[in-house]
Amino acid sequence: MIKVRLFCNQGMSTSLLVSKMRQAAAEEGLEADIMAFPVNDLDENLGGVDCALLGPQVGYLKDKVSKTCESHQVPMDVIPMIDYGMCNGKKVLEFARKIAGK
Amino acid sequence: MKDFLHNKVVPKIMVFINTKAIRGLKDGLLYSMPMMIIGSIFLLLANFPYTPFSDWLKAAGITPVLNQAFESTFNIMALIASVGIAYTYVKNEGYNGMPAGVISLCTYLLLQPSQVTSQEGASVGVIFKTWTGGQGMIGAIIIGLIVGWIYTVFLKKNITIKMPEGVPEGVTTSFTALVPGAVIIITASIIFAIVKNMFGTTPMEWIYKSIQIPLQGLTDSFGGVIAMGFLIPFFWFFGIHGSTLVGGIMGPILTANTAANQAIIDSGRELTLANGGHIVTQQFLDQFITVTGAGITIGVVIYLTFFAKSTQCKQVGKLGIGPAFFNINEPVLFGTPIVLNPIMAIPFMLMPVLSGIIQYLAIYTGLCPMYKGILVPWTCPPIISGFLIGGWRTALLQVVILALSFFVYLPFIRVIDKMYEKQEHQTQG
């Protein structure tokens, strides 16, 4: 079981990626809880999360977000631009697993 | 070049974006937006383009109800903003933001006119919708930010009344706000007294006359349009969400322009340049500068979807075309990519400027109508959005812009496509 949270500006374009990631997880037979939220609601959405991913368009918030994530002991990183643009669910899921160490 | 931009230019822009004030402002304003769009729906119904229907609504007595709903959402946008900005500012600093939001609300009301003389000559206390709506926008921002800032300083310096352990959180919270609240309200009262007695006006009216009107003039100009059209893709080029950034800062002034246009209609006058109507409004930005996504990338999407030769481009087109109808273009921006891609920089920054200029001229010359108070969500598909905000002529102008986008991007996206095709050919061979 892996719990991943994605954060972007309003959680709009990220939700495209979320559905692709869920698909990829299902194909691998991996139990996954993946959701997207606006980055403003970061604090309220880190409970029990294995890893947090940031959309590249809000990558400039990385320092601030990583601090918040640290206080919740959630590892985080910015999603690579091309994988985000291509909605590459499989690659981003791998990326998430690597960060989460799962 | 790329390194120079990423190491030198972007960090400087970041410092600005991450300013507490800018963040509080753009995030705080997001609270008024949904209410304004909902209000617009009621306004659209009350002024439905099909006359028999609107006449029927009037006869059935429904129109006043629709107007009531409009007045209580759209026309209190500044009131909501004053709460939202102070709340967000304090929340971003890691404290409970609600008390600051409440203090900001009271301060905001304190600094504006609140008395009318009734027909019988008695003085009646009121909250003016004029000042809670568009005209109070800049005042609301200033007050929200200052209140948020002062409140945070008090909390940081621990100047609050402390309650013993075991007291319920709600009680503690109300006491936390007591000291900063009292200081803020007292200061605001003193400011009100000085302005009222020495200059015979209220701080809110003063802010409107000396700050907001000049700002509205500045945005509602040819130069303002070019700056806005250029800056959004400029930020996006560095992978920064330029639409929220520029929209966040320009938004309050642009919506004030929209509200001012509606106010002209409400006062029974015709919405024209001569009557003080504004060309550049929130609709101007949403439906012509960032339509189909920042940079008006629909041209790229069309090319990628229907004309691309390389697999990479076809793939991006397939992913991008759906969201593009709803003005979301991250797949195209990051997948093509357009972000940090020097070949795409020119059309990307040029297209919204062109669109802005064309729209400006179309409204200026009267080919297209000025925008009323009707706002649609930024995700509303083009052509439909144009029809709702301005009727068929505005919808047609959108069609022109979308077609233009294809030809502006064509030579550039072709180069990219060929590059990928060559690469793919090589890896296969």
Side-chain angles (χ1 to χ4, degrees), chain A residues 6-19:
Chain A
L6 282 74
F7 297 95
C8 76
N9 198 48
Q10 288 190 20
M12 286 271 188
S13 61
T14 319
S15 54
L16 296 169
L17 184 58
V18 166
S19 56

Side-chain angles (χ1 to χ4, degrees), chain B residues 62 68 147 149 168-169 214 229 313 407 425:
Chain B
I62 297 170
Q68 174 78 356
V147 168
W149 175 67
E169 203 199 310
C313 284
F407 293 104
H425 202 70

Side-chain angles (χ1 to χ4, degrees), chain B residues 129-153:
Chain B
K129 293 253 174 77
T130 316
W131 295 104
T132 57
Q135 291 194 22
M137 211 54 189
I138 299 299
I141 291 169
I142 295 172
I143 291 162
L145 288 176
I146 292 177
V147 168
W149 175 67
I150 297 178
Y151 189 81
T152 312
V153 169

Side-chain angles (χ1 to χ4, degrees), chain B residues 281-311:
Chain B
T281 59
Q282 184 65 38
Q283 296 96 322
F284 191 108
L285 175 69
D286 285 344
Q287 274 80 46
F288 280 91
I289 303 283
T290 57
V291 67
T292 72
I296 318 184
T297 52
I298 188 73
V300 179
V301 179
I302 301 278
Y303 179 86
L304 295 178
T305 315
F306 300 106
F307 303 98
K309 302 254 163 44
S310 67
T311 335

Side-chain angles (χ1 to χ4, degrees), chain B residues 344-355:
Chain B
M344 297 303 283
I346 298 167
F348 187 53
M349 294 180 203
L350 181 71
M351 190 54 220
V353 175
L354 278 180
S355 173

Side-chain angles (χ1 to χ4, degrees), chain A:
Chain A
M1 173 70 185
I2 184 168
K3 189 169 171 182
V4 184
R5 292 291 176 262
L6 282 74
F7 297 95
C8 76
N9 198 48
Q10 288 190 20
M12 286 271 188
S13 61
T14 319
S15 54
L16 296 169
L17 184 58
V18 166
S19 56
K20 294 268 182 185
M21 285 175 76
R22 285 184 187 151
Q23 247 174 43
E27 276 166 25
E28 285 177 41
L30 175 75
E31 218 185 303
D33 170 9
I34 307 168
M35 285 166 95
F37 294 97
V39 70
N40 275 345
D41 303 339
L42 180 75
D43 244 334
E44 300 98 84
N45 290 298
L46 287 174
V49 170
D50 292 311
C51 93
L53 300 178
L54 208 54
Q57 71 275 37
V58 286
Y60 61 87
L61 294 171
K62 189 180 177 185
D63 287 347
K64 188 194 160 227
V65 170
S66 77
K67 263 186 219 147
T68 313
C69 286
E70 239 168 63
S71 66
H72 289 262
Q73 288 168 330
V74 173
M76 67 80 57
D77 209 340
V78 180
I79 303 167
M81 220 171 82
I82 288 285
D83 295 339
Y84 191 86
M86 300 293 285
C87 276
N88 197 326
K90 200 170 168 234
K91 263 200 162 161
V92 179
L93 185 65
E94 265 170 40
F95 183 69
R97 292 178 81 172
K98 213 172 93 191
I99 300 165
K102 283 201 172 181

